[in-house]
Amino acid sequence: MDRNGSPDRPGIADSRAPGHRGLVLGMLCFVYVLNFLDRQLVSILAKPIQDGLQITDSQLGRITGFYFALFYCFIAIPVGWLADRTNRVKVLSLACGLWSAATAACGIAANYGQLVVARMAVGVGEAGGVPPSYAIISDSFPREQRGTAMGIFNLGPPLGSALGVAFGASLAAAYDWRVPFYVVGAVGVLTAVLVYLIVPEPARGQFDPAPVSAVAAEPGQGFGQAIRSFFGNRILAVTALASGAANFITYGLSNFATLFLMREKGMTLEEVAIWYALAVGIGMGAGIFVSGRLIDRFGVRNKSAYASIPALSLLLALPFFLGFATAERWEVALALLCVPLFLNSFFLPATVTFVQGEVDPDARVISGALLLLVMNLVGLGLGPTFVGMASDFFRPEYGGHALQMAFYALAPMYLIAALLFLWLARMIRRAPSAAVPERREAHPV
């Protein structure tokens, strides 16, 4: 038996070995790719789904945003609390199998109501995906490597989006919009089995020589107490709020970008499968990886970098986002969009790494789940819902440019999110432990 009460699995290498840590990280990243691919398929195939099921922009915004987030966010909390007390790998494997089966079920939906139910089931499964992965990575890598590890792990969203666009749009163009849901669902079920067989449960806190104090999990700590411990810390609460505001932009843009490029800029589904997929994969992927490297470099000197770097990235992205919405040709719009795709997600590795480093190892999954609760309830739940409702609101007056006006309405959120991160940076600088403490002992790299 291991220290977490799970049977040791023969043939699995030491989780502290560099090569094995790389294998685990790669496997977890692939699961995140599937997680995000499943989540984004409805947005990627928005146009053919709208044509097939006769749904409005507001309905599309709710099904890709609020309805999904309602289950995804709140189920993540009890799942996170349970995973902190059981085997995190088993929770991840079960969750992956569940959301993949639900994704396949989306393909058989005959009307909007059935699609809503299937998407809610996807949200229930995905609630057990990311928080356990955060904790597994944090207990597999030393502190000075976690920013890069989280950056690599968080390549899941851009890679998932890019693969979803490339394969989803291609399969839909060649066959039918339902086929991608079947294929991706089947791959996910197989991956769930591989996760259980390949990924070991790491020892909790093996790279944390000294306890951290922001959120400490006491033995037998109750579910309610774990929640109060997180939100009772002002810095962690503001971190979650600022992340939610940034995610409002990310999902509000990404869930309607393909529909906007096709309906208002004239892209075809085949062109989306190539050019938009490249923009998402390269732009978002490079941004998340670079932000992880920046966090590792500057966060070691001062913790306020975990907030100031996202604030600067959002301010720099705003003019290019406005240019994307204004451009007349899809080629120009897509080129301008590459900059926000690169900069919008800088906050993700920063805030995730910050929170995971501030909490006790036994509270990492629940803390990650609570961060995702706020981040996704505000961002995923409200962002696409806002853009969809704004588009329908502007349609009577602006007709074919209603989504463009909805994106203009989204733009002020860049300033709101940047101000929240600047406030967070100020709070961190004023905290007693603004500088990252020296490690007490060296661990194998």
Side-chain angles (χ1 to χ4, degrees):
M1 300 288 284
D2 62 21
R3 64 175 285 183
N4 302 301
S6 305
D8 292 325
R9 277 180 263 161
I12 295 295
D14 183 357
S15 64
R16 296 164 65 98
H20 188 67
R21 291 205 303 268
L23 174 63
V24 169
L25 181 59
M27 193 70 200
L28 294 179
C29 183
F30 182 70
V31 173
Y32 200 8
V33 167
L34 291 176
N35 179 296
F36 213 82
L37 199 163
D38 292 358
R39 190 183 312 178
Q40 292 292 298
L41 267 183
V42 173
S43 302
I44 292 165
L45 304 174
K47 186 67 167 60
I49 291 175
Q50 277 192 325
D51 294 341
L53 299 183
Q54 300 300 308
I55 62 178
T56 67
D57 285 356
S58 293
Q59 288 176 314
L60 181 65
R62 289 196 296 272
I63 198 172
T64 60
F66 181 74
Y67 293 148
F68 178 89
L70 188 64
F71 282 79
Y72 176 78
C73 295
F74 288 104
I75 296 295
I77 302 175
V79 169
W81 181 81
L82 176 66
D84 272 328
R85 284 149 181 78
T86 58
N87 188 295
R88 295 164 292 186
V89 173
K90 289 181 179 178
V91 171
L92 176 62
S93 176
L94 180 62
C96 182
L98 175 58
W99 85 61
S100 299
T103 296
C106 291
I108 64 175
N111 54 55
Y112 181 68
Q114 292 178 6
L115 188 59
V116 167
V117 173
R119 292 297 293 171
M120 287 180 172
V122 173
V124 171
E126 291 194 4
V130 180
S133 296
Y134 285 159
I136 293 169
I137 292 171
S138 295
D139 284 333
S140 298
F141 288 84
R143 179 183 288 269
E144 66 271 13
Q145 295 180 7
R146 284 178 195 159
T148 298
M150 288 295 182
I152 293 172
F153 172 72
N154 281 302
L155 290 174
L159 290 176
S161 296
L163 289 173
V165 172
F167 292 103
S170 297
L171 288 171
Y175 301 102
D176 181 79
W177 66 264
R178 300 176 185 275
V179 173
F181 289 98
Y182 302 145
V183 174
V184 173
V187 172
V189 172
L190 176 61
T191 301
V193 176
L194 293 177
V195 167
Y196 177 77
L197 296 176
I198 294 174
V199 179
E201 174 75 4
R204 286 173 167 85
Q206 65 176 326
F207 291 108
D208 295 286
V212 289
S213 58
V215 177
E218 300 173 2
Q221 184 184 39
F223 178 62
Q225 180 58 39
I227 297 175
R228 288 192 294 271
S229 295
F230 183 91
F231 289 111
N233 184 283
R234 291 182 65 239
I235 289 180
L236 296 183
V238 173
T239 300
L241 182 61
S243 299
N247 226 22
F248 189 101
I249 301 164
T250 300
Y251 279 109
L253 170 59
S254 64
N255 283 23
F256 282 91
T258 55
L259 183 61
F260 176 69
L261 289 167
M262 292 178 67
R263 194 166 71 190
E264 299 194 17
K265 304 301 180 184
M267 285 188 81
T268 66
L269 199 57
E270 291 80 4
E271 288 169 337
V272 167
I274 298 172
W275 299 112
Y276 183 67
L278 287 173
V280 170
I282 296 174
M284 287 182 64
I288 288 177
F289 180 75
V290 168
S291 64
R293 299 292 290 178
L294 289 174
I295 288 301
D296 274 348
R297 179 175 180 181
F298 295 102
V300 170
R301 302 175 185 175
N302 197 303
K303 285 185 181 179
S304 65
Y306 289 105
S308 57
I309 289 176
L312 179 60
S313 72
L314 291 167
L315 292 174
L316 291 174
L318 176 56
F320 293 92
F321 170 74
L322 293 172
F324 155 73
T326 305
E328 295 184 1
R329 294 172 54 86
W330 72 259
E331 295 90 344
V332 178
L334 192 60
L336 290 168
L337 178 62
C338 287
V339 179
L341 288 175
F342 177 78
L343 294 170
N344 280 359
S345 297
F346 266 45
F347 78 94
L348 190 55
T351 53
V352 169
T353 305
F354 177 70
V355 170
Q356 292 290 297
E358 288 295 290
V359 302
D360 190 274
D362 288 328
R364 279 182 172 144
V365 182
I366 184 63
S367 297
L370 291 169
L371 174 66
L372 290 176
L373 167 69
V374 179
M375 186 189 301
N376 288 315
L377 190 60
V378 175
L380 177 58
L382 301 182
T385 304
F386 170 81
V387 173
M389 293 178 66
S391 178
D392 283 347
F393 174 80
F394 288 121
R395 186 172 302 282
E397 184 174 355
Y398 293 93
H401 295 289
L403 260 179
Q404 181 184 55
M405 298 306 300
F407 281 148
Y408 288 153
L410 178 65
M413 187 58 67
Y414 273 95
L415 298 177
I416 295 172
L419 288 173
L420 285 171
F421 274 112
L422 289 174
W423 180 30
L424 175 62
R426 185 169 178 264
M427 292 175 65
I428 295 173
R429 282 194 297 269
R430 292 189 170 190
S433 57
V436 176
E438 293 293 330
R439 299 172 56 79
R440 294 185 183 176
E441 61 179 278
H443 291 286
V445 176

